[in-house]
Amino acid sequence: TSGPDTAAAVEQQTDVARALATLAPRDRDMLWLAYADGASHAEIATHLGVARPSVKAMLFRARRRLAARLQRVSAAFGGRER
């Protein structure tokens, strides 16, 4: 099925991928583990070699940086025809 909703979803996925690409590797890894893989805070801590209590704050900051980058990417590419 294609249409406006599908096109909008593809554009949004493209914007998210562009924004993720601008993040530091640790932020990207942390967000991927949390949201794509569904890893727990303990699993993320083990995988990244950080203290478990730090993961919550690190995820918060990574999400905030992603949101800021996503706004910039959306502004930069949003007005352009695809």
Side-chain angles (χ1 to χ4, degrees):
T1 305
S2 63
D5 290 340
T6 303
V10 170
E11 287 178 15
Q12 185 177 30
Q13 288 174 345
T14 301
D15 287 349
V16 170
R18 284 183 175 128
L20 280 169
T22 69
L23 292 176
R26 178 170 264 180
D27 285 347
R28 260 193 323 269
D29 291 346
M30 183 166 289
L31 291 168
W32 185 265
L33 288 166
Y35 296 104
D37 289 347
S40 69
H41 287 185
E43 292 168 328
I44 293 169
T46 299
H47 184 78
L48 296 180
V50 298
R52 191 170 120 314
S54 301
V55 171
K56 186 176 181 179
M58 292 171 76
L59 271 171
F60 173 80
R61 288 191 295 269
R63 281 191 305 266
R64 197 166 54 183
R65 283 189 283 272
L66 177 61
R69 302 258 178 25
L70 188 54
Q71 284 182 332
R72 280 184 254 165
V73 165
S74 294
F77 292 96
R80 188 176 92 187
E81 287 188 34
R82 298 178 192 223

